[in-house]
Amino acid sequence: IDDADVEKHLYKVLLIGDYAVGKSSIIKRYCTGIFSPNYKLTIGVDFSVKDIEWEKNKIVSLQLWDIAGHERFGTMTRVYYRYAIAAIIVFDLSRPSTFDAVTKWREDVNSKVVLANQEPIPVLLLANKSDLSTSYVDSDMLDRFCKENNFIGWFATSASSDTNINEAMHFLTKEILEVA
Ligand code: GDP
């Protein structure tokens, strides 16, 4: 392969949401295909990279940033948001308080990052841990919520049973390529 013919686009994507909703697990599942119940990144901002062969000779490289413990402060610094082209807000279907926090995280994104053209970055909502028997998904409510709060859409995901993670990331990547 002649590397000179391959276009490579790198995009920074943020994962945010309350503690223990599954942000690290989603990143790990998507980037390595593995779920480990005890996995935890060390405290500090960290990222993983996923390369997608989007088209022949076009590689989309998603740099997925994990806030890794800093979410307990409720907001992130501007430095963390800088140059992000998209964000994913995650909540835990089995813990309603993590959904209550979604609007707060949405406002944090809105106030700290915009695209080069000053438009808001695309933000996707993930309702994680859909595998748990305590999980209940109110689709109509989430549809409405996404419209009212300017999310590009939502998926019910499970990092542990590998449900909808690839679908969600594919959907987000398409949106990224529209605004990039
Ligand atoms: P973070 O703090 O948001 O990064 O959350 P973690 O990825 O560390 O996950 C918190 C806990 O939830 C860990 O014990 C994970 O094993 C568990 N977890 C993450 N995703 C899922 C999921 O989809 N289903 C279930 N049942 N547990 C999950």
Side-chain angles (χ1 to χ4, degrees):
I1 302 168
D2 182 356
D3 259 10
D5 293 336
V6 179
E7 271 181 64
K8 189 163 179 174
H9 302 268
L10 178 70
Y11 300 116
K12 174 177 174 180
V13 178
L14 311 170
L15 268 92
I16 47 194
D18 277 3
Y19 180 71
V21 295
K23 300 179 295 295
S24 308
S25 301
I26 289 168
I27 292 175
K28 190 173 192 208
R29 168 63 81 185
Y30 183 58
C31 293
T32 70
I34 294 167
F35 176 81
S36 43
N38 300 314
Y39 168 78
K40 194 68 205 169
L41 288 166
T42 47
I43 299 284
V45 172
D46 204 348
F47 63 80
S48 302
V49 176
K50 172 83 170 182
D51 284 341
I52 309 158
E53 199 180 343
W54 193 256
E55 291 164 8
K56 192 173 182 295
N57 294 334
K58 179 171 178 175
I59 307 232
V60 171
S61 193
L62 297 182
Q63 198 185 53
L64 301 165
W65 287 61
D66 190 328
I67 62 180
H70 288 271
E71 62 274 59
R72 64 182 181 277
F73 303 116
T75 62
M76 292 299 292
T77 66
R78 265 170 217 284
V79 176
Y80 174 73
Y81 285 105
R82 191 171 296 157
Y83 307 124
I85 196 161
I88 299 172
I89 298 181
V90 186
F91 72 97
D92 177 342
L93 279 166
S94 69
R95 281 189 299 144
S97 68
T98 65
F99 178 71
D100 297 338
V102 167
T103 35
K104 179 200 70 185
W105 287 112
R106 188 72 184 84
E107 281 160 23
D108 202 40
V109 174
N110 280 350
S111 66
K112 289 181 180 151
V113 65
V114 284
L115 297 172
N117 65 6
Q118 304 302 313
E119 291 290 318
I121 64 170
V123 184
L124 181 68
L125 181 64
L126 296 186
N128 193 42
K129 307 197 188 180
S130 63
D131 58 287
L132 295 180
S133 58
T134 48
S135 296
Y136 167 71
V137 186
D138 185 340
S139 300
D140 290 341
M141 184 279 284
L142 287 174
D143 285 344
R144 229 179 312 118
F145 182 83
C146 284
K147 267 203 193 105
E148 284 164 5
N149 294 279
N150 191 29
F151 283 87
I152 58 171
W154 65 273
F155 287 81
T157 57
S158 168
S160 67
S161 62
D162 198 4
T163 307
N164 265 344
I165 307 280
N166 281 310
E167 290 79 356
M169 297 309 299
H170 184 83
F171 177 80
L172 182 67
T173 306
K174 276 198 289 192
E175 296 285 324
I176 289 172
L177 293 173
E178 303 244 317
V179 300

